[in-house]
Amino acid sequence: MASDTTGKPQPATLRVGALDAFIASDGAISLLVVLLGFLCGTVLILAVGRNPANMYAALLQTLTGFDITRGTWNARYIGEWLTASMPLILCGLSMGFAARTGLFNIGAEGQYVMGLTAAQFVALYGPRISGLHWALALLAGLVAGALWGALVGWLKARYSVSEVVATIMLNYVAYFLSRFLTQLIPAANTYRTPAYPETALLKNALFERLTNGSRLNTGLFVVALCVLFYWFVIERTKLGYELRATGFNKEAARCSGIKVTRSITASMAISGGFAGLAGVIVALGSFGYGRVLGGLDNYGFNGIAVALVGNSTAGGTLLSGLLFGMLASAQPLMQSRQIPKEVTWIISGLVVVFISLRAGFRMIAEWRQKRIAEKGGTRDE
Amino acid sequence: MDEYAIEMLEVTKVFPGVVANDKVTLRVRENEIHAILGENGAGKSTLMSILFGLYDPDGGSIRVKGKDVRIRDPNEATALGIGMVHQHFKLVHNYTVTENIILGLEPKRRDGTIDLSGAERRVAELSERYGLSVDPRAKIESITVGMQQRVEILKILYRNADILIFDEPTAVLTPQEIDELMSILKRLKAEGKTIILITHKLREIKEAAERCTVLRRGRYIGTVDVAGTSEEEMAAMMVGRAVKFRVDKAPAKPGDVVLCIEDLTVMSAKGHPAVKGLSLDVRAGEIVGLAGVDGNGQSELIQAITGLAKVHTGRILLEGRDITRLSIKERVEAGIGHVPEDRHKHGLVLDFRLDENFALKCYDKAPILRKFGVLDFGAMADKGETLIGEYDIRAGRGPATKARNMSGGNQQKAIIAREIDLSPRLLVVAQPTRGLDVGAIEYIHKRIVAERDKGRAVLLISFELDEIMGLCDRIAAISKGEIVGVVDAAAAEERAIGAMMAGVRGGVRDGGRGREQGAS
């Protein structure tokens, strides 16, 4: 009989443990990927002969409002950073929710447009009662986005229509529908409607005062509630359990009595709802009038990147939305410091590319396991 | 000293995390039928894949007819005269027998066209010589599974193989077809061929083989003369301990009818009737087995009972209540437990934790469900802990183990645990032991009998006639979607059931039907 060899030095085993633990942790990989992205950005700035310290100074000012070169402090930058992050976080949640339940929602953009359009109409035609008016607009945007998503979910569940194709197509439908409907509004020209009444705006006097007149608005509460809702539903509720089961194995879920058609439709509705709310927050928080869209705002597509880097968890998506928001709102500050603003897009693009390294790390882990098995001849029991 | 056709000496093959073959030695004599016996995962298939050139061994040497060889791919194996009849046939269904046989080796005429008639003559000759009675011009889709297997045999004979490997050849056959295969094996031997028979069925070894090599957990246990070794001895070598063949059970005490199927017709996915006017009763406290060859309407029948497929016509009653139109969930609540045929597709969510899998059918009830649609994951883990202990499920990280990372036997135990834990009135069990080792099979059989003794009705579907015969109290044979006959298991004769599985009416009809239904 063969004798079992167990002679493996202790430190080697330890190193294996640490590396494997690192690879197993999605959060650690996300962090590494972000650092890599910034490293590349830094090298790039050096390559074009600028000082990368200026980029970090701009980022610091975005995050804290503190201008390190002049020694001044202005809280407005913090407010603008958060304002830019809000729709990104919501669209990230939209993508993430679909991903956690086995769906690929590439249609957050269309759901966002539907939410935005619905909110614009309620803002212009809703009852001008303070407190109620914007709340109704929020609700309308939520419902519009949710319906736009639910339609895709229902098509997929009932007629096996690929959600990827359906959402991409519906993005265009949403965009042109929004343009067409908004231009029907009396006194609307080719790019805007008349201004909203004051009661429709998501303005928040306290936030404005705290952040020195930034556009930071009541939407912040909506985002906070959404992050909590996301976590609670996915991780804690019966609904989340059913949706996840359906996402992982539709057949087994059906066998257990879960109504799969309803689950898929609900997943897409919730996913669309997040994107719809993002539309409302942009429409009523960042603008004082309705827009006839001249192009897509791209928050929906950026949400895919946000969810990817955030591992589709509530906390991760929040952090990654803040990261992407920071890169976006740091652009003017970078330009004023002679850093080309495009570097932020390069960094966020690289981060998304590097995220695919996760698969590479898994391969390394498997390869190592094989090596260990071959050397030690380990066997179960 | 005997002449060896094949010698595999101290062959080792390592896969990530597992040694599939650990210095295994196999010596097959010229012109013998040599069986390789072992449980699932014992390394039989790996060993044969090495011999057939599908895997490269990590150690050891191979000799064919006395010469050292290295077999790098199946073509080299074919060149050495080694042929393999795979468990899953590799045939093109809309081609004829001859077209399938010559695939890849087409005989060409001078003008470049295929000499089909010449090939047909050669196939007919071979078929005649080995007593295979295959029609060279028949389309594959129009011939039986047993006949298809003979086409596979012809395929390798056509390539001049003289060492034939059969990988679990009886798994897909009816008892009659198994008998025929056994005589074909003997005929092949009489014509000078050497045969390696991979199996875990002792009876077949007893019947056909001369010598038998036993593997257990990747290791070589020994080679025995079949004539001088009892089935019990071989089983003990295979499992590593004494094994009971018969399931221990007291006579059934059947009670009231629990499941009553009346004149049921179910359409297949393609729209043909897969179950045709089928009627069947299952009583409390009995196990009714549905004996049949795969694809005769068993899957559709189960799907109709559990609510996965729509009923076309007919009724299904559970304890007198019509459940024909109820949803899947309502049927679970009415008391139907279901151990599905395909545990990965239907039984488990492989990316869920074990305790989440346990909860699949009870997550919407206390104690797991709390107020406002919130789940108590602590209670879920507690339940997982309990079931793991109660059903002896081996899971590395307890309730937190991903189902994907568990062995097949433990996955199946987990499904059984979940379904039995619901205390169903009716337990529908399909292929509960497919691919499992003897220990797990024994355990699962014991659990099913225990459920019967608790007064549950059990409907068992299995393609293993041995399992049906050993476990059931009554046996219903199904063929082409119809019940051909229902017999008492105690009085059942394997041959008669085999005939019924092939569609020949001969069993005793279930006389008790019709009387019980007046009450509902």
Side-chain angles (χ1 to χ4, degrees):
Chain A
M1 286 289 131
S3 63
D4 278 350
T5 49
T6 43
K8 204 134 200 345
Q10 207 54 37
T13 326
L14 254 179
R15 213 168 50 227
V16 168
L19 182 68
D20 289 344
F22 174 76
I23 290 170
S25 159
D26 286 333
I29 290 184
S30 285
L31 201 65
L32 175 78
V33 157
V34 170
L35 291 177
L36 265 177
F38 275 101
L39 185 69
C40 292
T42 310
V43 170
L44 209 67
I45 292 167
L46 281 172
V48 296
R50 307 282 161 80
N51 184 358
N54 286 340
M55 174 176 81
Y56 291 102
L59 292 175
L60 181 74
Q61 192 175 357
T62 310
L63 287 180
T64 62
F66 185 66
D67 184 342
I68 204 162
T69 37
R70 289 195 207 130
T72 55
W73 184 75
N74 186 344
R76 198 169 67 82
Y77 293 106
I78 305 174
E80 289 300 329
W81 163 46
L82 293 176
T83 309
S85 303
M86 289 192 305
L88 286 169
I89 294 167
L90 287 174
C91 288
L93 294 178
S94 169
M95 176 66 196
F97 196 89
R100 286 291 289 274
T101 56
L103 298 162
F104 190 65
N105 179 17
I106 205 167
E109 191 68 41
Q111 294 139 17
Y112 164 90
V113 169
M114 292 311 284
L116 176 141
T117 311
Q120 291 186 161
F121 271 89
V122 175
L124 289 168
Y125 293 107
R128 302 183 176 192
I129 301 162
S130 93
L132 179 71
H133 195 175
W134 59 260
L136 272 179
L138 267 174
L139 187 67
L142 170 72
V143 170
L147 286 176
W148 210 242
L151 174 64
V152 174
W154 181 75
L155 284 172
K156 180 185 172 76
R158 192 77 185 74
Y159 301 105
S160 306
V161 176
S162 157
E163 79 272 27
V164 176
V165 176
T167 48
I168 290 176
M169 293 301 146
L170 283 177
N171 284 348
Y172 292 105
V173 176
Y175 171 64
F176 289 106
L177 190 65
S178 168
R179 278 182 60 85
F180 172 73
L181 291 176
T182 315
Q183 279 179 318
L184 291 179
I185 294 170
N189 57 26
T190 51
Y191 68 93
R192 63 164 287 183
T193 70
Y196 303 138
E198 196 69 12
T199 48
L201 298 174
L202 287 174
K203 269 180 184 295
N204 185 309
L206 176 69
F207 286 161
E208 274 178 30
R209 215 168 44 243
L210 282 176
T211 60
N212 196 15
S214 81
R215 291 178 294 170
L216 189 63
N217 53 62
T218 309
L220 194 65
F221 293 120
V222 176
V223 174
L225 279 176
C226 281
V227 171
L228 281 176
F229 176 82
Y230 183 103
W231 171 82
F232 183 70
V233 169
I234 285 278
E235 313 284 354
R236 281 284 163 267
T237 65
K238 172 176 167 241
L239 178 68
Y241 176 86
E242 288 177 344
L243 299 185
R244 282 187 296 128
T246 309
F248 281 133
N249 186 346
K250 199 171 110 180
E251 289 304 316
R254 200 164 87 88
C255 239
S256 310
I258 294 171
K259 294 195 171 64
V260 173
T261 305
R262 208 193 63 184
S263 282
I264 294 175
T265 311
S267 281
M268 281 303 293
I270 294 172
S271 171
F274 285 126
L277 284 175
V280 183
I281 288 173
V282 172
L284 306 185
S286 302
F287 291 90
Y289 54 86
R291 285 182 299 154
V292 178
L293 294 176
L296 292 171
D297 289 349
N298 276 329
Y299 285 120
F301 294 122
N302 291 331
I304 298 175
V306 171
L308 268 175
V309 177
N311 294 318
S312 302
T313 61
T317 306
L318 172 67
L319 289 176
S320 120
L322 289 171
L323 170 79
F324 282 84
M326 169 186 83
L327 286 168
S329 71
Q331 286 180 351
L333 291 170
M334 288 195 183
Q335 274 186 308
S336 69
R337 287 180 165 85
Q338 285 81 48
I339 301 287
K341 70 169 197 258
E342 285 74 15
V343 78
T344 62
W345 297 123
I346 293 176
I347 291 174
S348 34
L350 284 175
V351 166
V352 174
V353 172
F354 289 152
I355 265 294
S356 55
L357 283 177
R358 194 173 287 155
F361 279 118
R362 294 253 157 76
M363 282 162 72
I364 294 173
E366 275 168 30
W367 178 76
R368 288 183 70 93
Q369 269 177 7
K370 189 174 170 175
R371 280 277 302 278
I372 294 162
E374 277 171 6
K375 274 193 197 149
T378 48
R379 184 209 297 270
D380 291 318
E381 288 167 277
Chain B
M1 192 68 203
D2 287 291
E3 187 82 6
Y4 287 114
I6 301 269
E7 284 175 280
M8 298 179 82
L9 305 171
E10 308 230 309
V11 169
T12 298
K13 177 71 195 171
V14 182
F15 290 116
V18 61
V19 184
N21 286 156
D22 189 356
K23 295 184 181 161
V24 172
T25 292
L26 170 72
R27 285 197 170 94
V28 181
R29 287 179 194 148
E30 200 81 68
N31 195 21
E32 75 166 339
I33 301 183
H34 192 112
I36 300 180
L37 175 67
E39 294 192 89
N40 289 292
K44 298 170 296 192
S45 295
T46 307
L47 191 66
M48 287 303 107
S49 297
I50 291 170
L51 183 57
F52 198 55
L54 293 167
Y55 293 138
D56 211 16
D58 296 320
S61 61
I62 303 174
R63 274 194 242 169
V64 175
K65 292 161 200 158
K67 268 186 291 195
D68 272 310
V69 291
R70 203 168 152 229
I71 304 171
R72 270 167 292 241
D73 61 45
N75 291 332
E76 294 190 10
T78 307
L80 289 166
I82 301 171
M84 186 148 167
V85 175
H86 296 274
Q87 191 177 352
H88 300 286
F89 307 148
K90 298 168 194 308
L91 298 169
V92 183
H93 274 232
N94 50 354
Y95 274 20
T96 66
V97 168
T98 306
E99 284 168 337
N100 267 286
I101 289 169
I102 63 173
L103 208 59
L105 263 190
E106 299 84 354
K108 300 255 170 65
R109 292 201 193 89
R110 221 170 280 158
D111 59 1
T113 57
I114 293 174
D115 182 10
L116 201 60
S117 53
E120 276 170 5
R121 270 199 304 282
R122 177 132 188 258
V123 169
E125 262 168 44
L126 283 171
S127 167
E128 175 97 3
R129 182 164 155 213
Y130 296 99
L132 298 175
S133 26
V134 172
D135 172 7
R137 293 185 191 197
K139 282 247 168 77
I140 296 297
E141 57 199 3
S142 67
I143 61 178
T144 63
V145 174
M147 206 55 100
Q148 289 176 14
Q149 188 172 53
R150 294 185 204 177
V151 176
E152 287 281 358
I153 299 173
L154 273 173
K155 218 156 103 181
I156 55 180
L157 291 174
Y158 187 88
R159 284 156 178 73
N160 297 315
D162 46 21
I163 300 164
L164 282 69
I165 306 168
F166 286 83
D167 186 5
E168 304 266 357
T170 58
V172 290
L173 303 181
T174 62
Q176 270 76 14
E177 286 174 324
I178 292 173
D179 286 348
E180 286 164 24
L181 178 70
M182 291 297 144
S183 55
I184 290 170
L185 293 182
K186 286 171 193 156
R187 180 78 176 263
L188 287 166
K189 176 184 147 62
E191 294 284 336
K193 305 288 183 192
T194 304
I195 291 164
I196 301 176
L197 179 66
I198 306 175
T199 185
H200 60 255
K201 291 183 186 162
L202 296 157
R203 217 153 29 123
E204 288 158 17
I205 294 177
K206 263 308 207 194
E207 196 178 331
E210 288 143 73
R211 295 197 310 146
C212 173
T213 293
V214 185
L215 304 183
R216 189 198 318 149
R217 294 186 182 193
R219 295 211 168 129
Y220 172 76
I221 303 300
T223 301
V224 295
D225 268 323
V226 172
T229 315
S230 71
E231 285 187 34
E232 284 75 13
E233 283 167 316
M234 282 192 277
M237 283 175 82
M238 167 167 82
V239 185
R241 61 183 167 82
V243 188
K244 273 200 222 98
F245 282 113
R246 302 250 11 131
V247 183
D248 274 331
K249 56 172 188 161
K253 300 187 197 81
D256 295 335
V257 173
V258 172
L259 174 72
C260 172
I261 301 169
E262 289 178 355
D263 202 21
L264 187 75
T265 298
V266 186
M267 296 296 175
S268 72
K270 286 179 187 157
H272 308 299
V275 176
K276 300 170 204 156
L278 182 147
S279 297
L280 185 70
D281 283 348
V282 184
R283 291 166 175 277
E286 71 167 352
I287 304 174
V288 174
L290 206 56
V293 179
D294 192 2
N296 276 281
Q298 297 98 317
S299 306
E300 287 82 0
L301 177 62
I302 300 173
Q303 286 172 356
I305 296 171
T306 52
L308 289 163
K310 267 206 191 111
V311 170
H312 187 65
T313 56
R315 291 205 301 168
I316 302 168
L317 304 174
L318 188 74
E319 297 184 308
R321 173 182 171 204
D322 191 341
I323 60 160
T324 319
R325 306 271 162 235
L326 294 191
S327 71
I328 299 166
K329 174 122 273 171
E330 286 164 334
R331 292 185 207 214
V332 171
E333 268 152 26
I336 296 182
H338 177 206
V339 178
E341 194 176 333
D342 185 335
R343 54 179 164 265
H344 288 172
K345 190 173 169 203
H346 293 116
L348 292 168
V349 177
L350 289 174
D351 293 305
F352 261 6
R353 289 156 49 118
L354 179 55
D355 55 357
E356 287 178 311
N357 271 295
F358 283 141
L360 270 174
K361 286 190 177 172
C362 61
Y363 68 92
D364 54 351
K365 306 212 169 38
I368 291 173
L369 183 68
R370 292 192 311 196
K371 274 185 200 153
F372 312 117
V374 179
L375 296 188
D376 185 341
F377 285 85
M380 207 187 268
D382 289 345
K383 184 173 196 104
E385 209 68 81
T386 315
L387 289 179
I388 285 170
E390 205 175 309
Y391 289 81
D392 189 28
I393 296 163
R394 308 282 158 81
R397 298 178 53 217
T401 315
K402 285 256 157 72
R404 188 180 291 288
N405 298 333
M406 291 165 43
S407 74
N410 284 305
Q411 288 176 342
Q412 188 70 352
K413 278 188 191 174
I415 297 173
I416 298 227
R418 177 181 76 209
E419 298 303 322
I420 291 180
D421 189 56
L422 293 171
S423 309
R425 306 298 309 145
L426 169 71
L427 192 59
V428 181
V429 187
Q431 291 277 78
T433 58
R434 177 159 66 181
L436 303 189
D437 61 41
V438 173
I441 292 175
E442 252 186 329
Y443 182 84
I444 285 167
H445 284 174
K446 223 162 61 192
R447 277 289 175 176
I448 293 173
V449 171
E451 280 308 288
R452 179 201 77 165
D453 293 343
K454 272 193 252 165
R456 319 273 195 239
V458 181
L459 178 63
L460 174 81
I461 285 88
S462 174
F463 305 136
E464 304 270 358
L465 194 48
D466 287 345
E467 178 164 58
I468 299 253
M469 301 272 295
L471 204 54
C472 297
D473 303 310
R474 282 194 304 145
I475 301 172
I478 186 169
S479 171
K480 297 192 177 123
E482 292 176 78
I483 297 288
V484 182
V486 182
V487 293
D488 228 11
E493 209 201 312
E494 195 172 329
R495 207 144 276 282
I497 297 170
M500 289 193 289
M501 281 161 65
V504 183
R505 288 185 189 269
V508 186
R509 287 298 270 171
D510 189 10
R513 285 198 49 81
R515 268 182 290 136
E516 291 85 33
Q517 274 128 35
S520 69

